Amino acid sequence: EIVLTQSPDTLSLSPGERATLSCRASQSVSSIYLAWYQQKPGQAPRLLIYGASNRATGIPDRFSGSGSGTEFTLTISRLEPEDFAVYYCQQYDSSPWTFGQGTKVEIK
Amino acid sequence: EVQLLESGGGLVQPGGSLRLSCAASGFTFSSYAMSWVRQAPGKGLEWVSSISGSGGSTFYADSVKGRFTISRDNSKNTVYLLMNSLRDEDTAVYHCAKSSGYSGYECSDYWGQGTLVTVSS
């Protein structure tokens, strides 16, 4: 099983700041099989990024993904008030598909 | 507009069974794999099971293999999760999710709000 470890667990930032979230895999993941999701309290997760760097439909361009192998990054260039949420990475390269434990982006 | 509506959750005793349903609309159901992902209270996301568009291929997390069965009825645009031998640790909100492709080796591009399953005596 591929274990995904996200860091940090919590990121405290102000609106307008840049957020950098990390996702490290226990073994190499093909970049085409790495996704990022956003989840707000009481809501279903929303797909942000697929294939490590492709924005899903309707996702603003302040969200970007990068990385390969075992190191992946989600960057939010300028935080908007609606971006404060929990973010999960997921690999779907090797069954069982696995998620990271999540990074909470909170208002400082 | 893609819509996924889960039902069938509730309170069940340890060792009991429950069948979840997810009614889908807004897309060609048989062309896409479907998944179930759960979230225990206050915890993160855990993939549970996926099924290909035809239903010919199924995938399970080790934690549910042999106890849960995923199936689909393409004539009813519905995916199911039959859960047997339920344990306390199966308590969670169960989300139905549409895959971005047919095989099951894809991410989930649309999610339902989920249905709560509580396993307790």
Side-chain angles (χ1 to χ4, degrees), chain A residues 49-102:
Chain A
I49 300 287
Y50 65 94
S53 60
N54 302 288
R55 276 187 299 277
T57 303
I59 302 303
D61 60 7
R62 63 180 181 273
F63 291 93
S64 64
S66 63
S68 64
T70 61
E71 300 281 346
F72 298 90
T73 301
L74 174 69
T75 302
I76 310 171
S77 59
R78 286 174 51 87
L79 283 164
E80 296 288 341
E82 61 268 27
D83 298 337
F84 292 92
V86 180
Y87 293 84
Y88 296 94
C89 58
Q90 182 206 19
Q91 68 81 23
Y92 43 103
D93 186 1
S94 171
S95 182
W97 318 150
T98 49
F99 291 89
Q101 83 280 11

Side-chain angles (χ1 to χ4, degrees), chain B residues 4-41:
Chain B
L4 300 169
L5 185 61
E6 303 94 338
S7 60
L11 176 64
V12 61
Q13 292 187 337
S17 298
L18 215 53
R19 189 180 81 156
L20 306 183
S21 301
C22 172
S25 62
F27 62 100
T28 304
F29 184 70
S30 60
S31 294
Y32 295 92
M34 298 293 294
S35 298
W36 289 95
V37 177
R38 68 186 180 183
Q39 188 166 31

